Amino acid sequence: MLTTGAPLSEQTAITRTVKVASGAFAPGHIGELTRIVPFEMVDEVLAETRAVQRRVRLVPARVTVYLLLAGALFAELGYRQVFDRLCAGLGCLAPARPTGSALRQARQRLGAAPMKALFDLVRGPLATAAAQARWHGLLVVAVDGTLLPVPDSPANLAVFTKQRCNNGTGGYPQIRLAALVACGTRAVIGAAFGPTTIGELDYARRLVGDLRAGMLLLGDRNFAAADLLNRMAATGAHLLVRCKSGRRLPAVAHCRDGSFLARLGALTVRVIDAEISIATSRGTRTGHYRLLTTLTDSSTHPAAELIRLYHERWEIETAYAELKSTILGGRVLRARTPAGVEQEVWALLVAYQALRTAMTDATDSVPGTDPDRAGFTVALSAARDQLVLAAGIIADTTIDLVGAIGHHVLAHLLPRRRVRTKDRIVKRAISKYNARGPAIDRTTYKATISITMLTTDP
């Protein structure tokens, strides 16, 4: 139960602070929008996780939740500066500024459970009418892992390890994050993370429960382990995973398009071998791809179409780039304890999902608009601006965040995606001396892609 011991003026200021804190995620009206992270959702999560404060504080639990979400949007700032942004639109109505210690204690009292529960409420593939989200009626999703650096405090170093280099260990300790992402909208369906001493496949196994019938899962060569594929296929989801070209897979039957069927434990998979060539004015490059899929009917799901579809796996790499480069700006996370790291990562995922929801609603309001054309940087910038302005919170303000994001996204749609012609390269070197060099070719070429099926003799 909340007590009423605080002066009325202080309670009013606290209420104003809570309203401002929630302003960045208030519902908007571009077409038919959903509520993303409203008060009711936060209060329900706090009640379920028993994280509601027992007395009135300057930084109540609800404010702490929105402080963490705002902190994800302003990754370059400390939490006191983030709190200043939350109250910037109130002017003289702003409450007293908490100390850094008060904000730290508020985050510690809250814990990670409410943020995880909040992520469980907002996660999902997002409803969209965009044709790019599905292929032959199947929802296209991808799984992959990435690394995030955390502060090298003694508490973190006791749990998280540093990356091994040629001359030993260096840099910051890291956590491993694995996610299941909807390729059409880049929304996060599920996530698991923890120390890098646990392998990527182990985290992927924790995501198996998020797979459903009607999904088509894309994965790279690391996820072609037979036991993992059998567990994933048992959920009813279909698979399209790359494997090593030299892997021995005896054929048990041959298909008309040149692919063949093989067995992986109890699972029957279709093996597709192909050469993919990309030709530009600088020459031609060719690569060998071998794909495994549970779509065994070659007439219903042609091999050439599956090969082209596999390129959509890069959408999860783009999602990770938006998290690590756009939101975090390549920075290390703030939290100096493992519990704080867990709390911060869940908050980061919730903020990302909220932005993705607003972007999908915006592109859906214009039929035929590819979700790929929504600029994540544009959406993030609009969210920051609306949070500082407390839009939709003060009585004379009529702009709301989701509406503002939608208008900004639609006004600055990206051009249609060009054909990819370059290999992946390190964009942020560990050392400034490990530069990419002056010989990098940054010219955009017109490219032609050709696919040649490699057949095996029956």
Side-chain angles (χ1 to χ4, degrees), residues 1 8 11 14 27 36 80 87 100 126 214 229 246 283 288 323 356 380 387:
M1 293 292 292
L8 181 60
Q11 292 188 47
I14 292 173
I36 304 177
R80 290 194 78 193
C87 301
L126 301 182
L229 294 181
H288 181 198
L323 280 171
R356 271 287 155 201
L380 177 62
L387 188 145

Side-chain angles (χ1 to χ4, degrees), residues 184-205:
T185 60
R186 296 183 214 152
V188 181
I189 301 173
F193 58 89
T196 56
T197 50
I198 300 176
E200 191 174 62
L201 295 186
D202 291 323
Y203 286 115
R205 291 184 179 94

Side-chain angles (χ1 to χ4, degrees), residues 235-281:
T235 64
H238 284 290
L239 312 177
L240 179 61
V241 179
R242 188 180 178 187
C243 76
K244 295 180 179 179
S245 58
R247 185 170 181 174
R248 188 173 179 273
L249 294 167
V252 297
H254 291 264
C255 303
R256 293 181 179 180
D257 61 359
S259 59
F260 63 91
L261 302 183
R263 298 286 291 177
L264 285 177
L267 184 65
T268 299
V269 296
R270 182 165 151 227
V271 183
I272 302 172
D273 281 309
E275 284 187 347
I276 302 178
S277 300
I278 181 167
T280 67
S281 58

Side-chain angles (χ1 to χ4, degrees), residues 178-454:
L180 182 67
V181 170
C183 294
T185 60
R186 296 183 214 152
V188 181
I189 301 173
F193 58 89
T196 56
T197 50
I198 300 176
E200 191 174 62
L201 295 186
D202 291 323
Y203 286 115
R205 291 184 179 94
R206 301 181 188 181
L207 301 176
V208 170
D210 295 319
L211 293 173
R212 298 286 185 273
M215 290 183 174
L216 175 57
L217 177 68
L218 311 183
D220 63 20
R221 287 176 291 189
N222 192 41
F223 297 93
D227 64 325
L228 179 60
L229 294 181
N230 275 267
R231 288 185 60 179
M232 289 178 168
T235 64
H238 284 290
L239 312 177
L240 179 61
V241 179
R242 188 180 178 187
C243 76
K244 295 180 179 179
S245 58
R247 185 170 181 174
R248 188 173 179 273
L249 294 167
V252 297
H254 291 264
C255 303
R256 293 181 179 180
D257 61 359
S259 59
F260 63 91
L261 302 183
R263 298 286 291 177
L264 285 177
L267 184 65
T268 299
V269 296
R270 182 165 151 227
V271 183
I272 302 172
D273 281 309
E275 284 187 347
I276 302 178
S277 300
I278 181 167
T280 67
S281 58
R282 291 290 299 269
T284 301
R285 289 183 298 162
T286 301
H288 181 198
Y289 271 62
R290 167 171 278 191
L291 302 178
L292 307 179
T293 181
T294 55
L295 298 170
T296 56
D297 190 341
S298 61
S299 59
T300 306
H301 305 100
E305 291 187 25
L306 287 168
I307 294 169
R308 293 187 181 93
L309 176 68
Y310 183 74
H311 182 74
E312 293 297 312
R313 194 199 70 80
W314 281 96
E315 297 297 334
I316 193 171
E317 303 286 359
T318 304
Y320 282 144
E322 290 165 348
L323 280 171
K324 298 166 64 174
S325 297
T326 306
I327 294 183
L328 293 177
R331 296 177 180 84
V332 179
L333 297 178
R334 298 182 181 89
R336 303 184 68 81
T337 64
V341 168
E342 182 183 1
Q343 182 188 65
E344 187 176 356
V345 173
W346 289 127
L348 177 66
L349 292 173
V350 172
Y352 172 85
Q353 186 75 351
L355 291 174
R356 271 287 155 201
T357 301
M359 294 166 66
T360 301
D361 290 332
T363 54
D364 257 19
S365 68
V366 181
T369 303
D370 190 339
D372 282 345
R373 298 187 62 194
F376 190 83
T377 302
V378 174
L380 177 62
S381 178
R384 289 177 168 182
D385 291 344
Q386 295 301 303
L387 188 145
V388 172
L389 294 173
I393 302 304
I394 302 178
D396 60 349
T397 306
T398 58
I399 302 174
D400 59 80
L401 175 69
V402 175
I405 289 180
H407 284 301
H408 279 76
V409 166
L410 295 176
H412 302 87
L413 289 176
L414 302 176
R416 296 188 181 278
R417 186 174 294 178
R418 296 171 296 184
V419 174
R420 183 185 182 92
T421 61
K422 304 294 181 61
D423 294 329
R424 293 182 67 192
I425 58 175
V426 176
K427 295 182 178 179
R428 181 171 64 93
I430 296 175
S431 168
K432 65 180 180 180
Y433 299 105
N434 295 333
R436 292 181 292 176
I440 298 296
D441 183 4
R442 295 178 173 86
T443 307
T444 299
Y445 296 96
K446 291 184 178 180
T448 301
I449 296 177
S450 59
I451 299 174
T452 304
M453 289 289 302
L454 302 179

Side-chain angles (χ1 to χ4, degrees), residues 16-207:
R16 293 281 186 176
T17 305
V18 174
K19 288 184 177 181
V20 173
S22 66
F25 300 94
H29 301 280
I30 290 186
E32 185 177 354
L33 295 181
T34 60
R35 293 178 175 267
I36 304 177
V37 190
F39 281 145
E40 294 81 5
M41 181 184 292
V42 173
D43 290 342
E44 178 184 347
V45 162
L46 292 174
E48 288 180 355
T49 57
R50 299 182 179 181
V52 179
Q53 68 280 346
R54 296 182 179 275
R55 61 185 176 86
V56 172
R57 298 177 180 272
L58 182 59
V59 190
R62 186 196 283 177
V63 172
T64 308
V65 169
Y66 288 110
L67 176 72
L68 288 164
L69 297 180
L73 299 181
F74 292 96
E76 72 279 10
L77 303 179
Y79 281 113
R80 290 194 78 193
Q81 294 171 301
V82 173
F83 189 88
D84 291 341
R85 296 299 186 278
L86 290 175
C87 301
L90 289 179
C92 61
L93 297 177
R97 189 188 192 209
T99 63
S101 176
L103 294 177
R104 184 184 70 252
Q105 292 175 30
R107 300 195 307 276
Q108 291 174 345
R109 285 194 302 269
L110 184 70
M115 304 310 299
K116 182 181 185 303
L118 193 59
F119 173 73
D120 287 335
L121 289 178
V122 301
R123 69 188 177 102
L126 301 182
T128 177
Q132 292 81 3
R134 293 183 176 272
W135 182 81
H136 285 229
L138 298 172
L139 178 67
V140 182
V141 301
V143 64
D144 204 359
T146 191
L147 300 175
L148 292 173
V150 300
D152 54 354
S153 63
N156 282 343
L157 287 171
V159 177
F160 309 120
T161 57
K162 295 186 177 182
Q163 185 178 7
R164 292 186 177 276
C165 303
N166 293 334
N167 55 352
T169 59
Y172 288 95
Q174 296 176 319
I175 66 169
R176 192 186 307 279
L177 168 67
L180 182 67
V181 170
C183 294
T185 60
R186 296 183 214 152
V188 181
I189 301 173
F193 58 89
T196 56
T197 50
I198 300 176
E200 191 174 62
L201 295 186
D202 291 323
Y203 286 115
R205 291 184 179 94
R206 301 181 188 181
L207 301 176

